[in-house]
Amino acid sequence: MRLTATTALILAATTPAFAGGLADPAPDQVVAPVQMAPPAPVPAPGNWTGFYGGAQLGYGRIEADPLEDGEATGATYGLHGGYLYDFGSIVAGAEIDYEGSNISDDPTGIDFDRFARAKLRVGYDAGRFQPYLTGGAVWAQTSGALDAEDYGRFAGLGVEYKVTDRVRVGGEVLQHQFEDFDGTGLDLDATTASARVSFQF
């Protein structure tokens, strides 16, 4: 009886020690994932596909060969309209425009009244910018000392910038050539530079 009581006392005294020595292992540490900064947004290229129309205002210079004083300068103004298709990097299309002018050559008395052009355009989609090449056929009419009209050719370059998805501004420089204008023996070289505003539909 005494042995049993003694054994019970020993077990009671040593149980806390064993309990303290059998402590549960610390749980594994959880490492939080590293948050990566999102990549900077890349601006999407502009979509130039669609019909458009607008107005232009500019300046022109015309030289008439073989006239000694056959050079005239003045303002130009008009309207334009066309269609472009955006292939991704390349933008192509066609345009027509009509311009009046107050270009007059006082020494010869020749007035250059109006121009009309049928254009082909090929440009590069640079997002909101589009530089382009253009060329085609041009019709011109004169009055005063030379009441005539004839067809010629032209080529040039331009650039446009999209202010919004619907509105764009730009500039264009064109070089025109008329050989033997309306059978008069005059060769006309005309250079025009214009500022343009267009609205895409």
Side-chain angles (χ1 to χ4, degrees):
M1 186 69 178
R2 183 179 297 175
L3 182 58
T4 301
T6 302
T7 302
L9 288 174
I10 292 173
L11 288 175
T14 56
T15 297
F18 283 113
L22 296 177
D24 293 335
D28 294 337
Q29 280 190 325
V30 178
V31 179
V34 178
Q35 297 293 327
M36 301 296 291
V42 178
N47 183 6
W48 297 87
T49 297
F51 290 95
Y52 64 92
Q56 69 263 19
L57 179 65
Y59 175 84
R61 183 186 69 190
I62 298 177
E63 297 178 353
D65 183 47
L67 298 180
E68 292 183 2
D69 297 323
E71 179 174 330
T73 59
T76 61
Y77 45 88
L79 301 173
H80 61 266
Y83 178 82
L84 294 176
Y85 189 85
D86 195 332
F87 291 93
S89 296
I90 301 299
V91 182
E95 178 183 304
I96 57 174
D97 72 15
Y98 180 86
E99 279 189 340
S101 83
N102 63 2
I103 301 174
S104 181
D105 184 18
D106 293 334
T108 63
I110 300 176
D111 298 324
F112 299 91
D113 296 329
R114 55 189 60 87
F115 303 89
R117 305 179 188 90
K119 301 178 177 178
L120 294 178
R121 282 182 46 166
V122 178
Y124 175 71
D125 184 347
R128 289 195 172 273
F129 281 97
Q130 185 202 155
Y132 63 89
L133 301 175
T134 184
V138 57
W139 169 86
Q141 185 179 54
T142 63
S143 62
L146 179 61
D147 188 4
E149 60 182 72
D150 204 353
Y151 292 89
R153 60 185 183 274
F154 76 93
L157 53 85
V159 64
E160 286 188 310
Y161 173 74
K162 279 198 168 191
V163 181
T164 69
D165 289 340
R166 297 294 184 186
V167 180
R168 58 196 198 226
V169 296
E172 195 173 72
V173 178
L174 304 176
Q175 179 67 38
H176 312 71
Q177 290 185 335
F178 300 88
E179 297 178 357
D180 189 17
F181 190 81
D182 199 18
T184 60
L186 293 179
D187 294 333
L188 303 182
D189 290 329
T191 303
T192 60
S194 59
R196 296 160 48 102
V197 178
S198 304
F199 302 90
Q200 185 166 330
F201 306 124

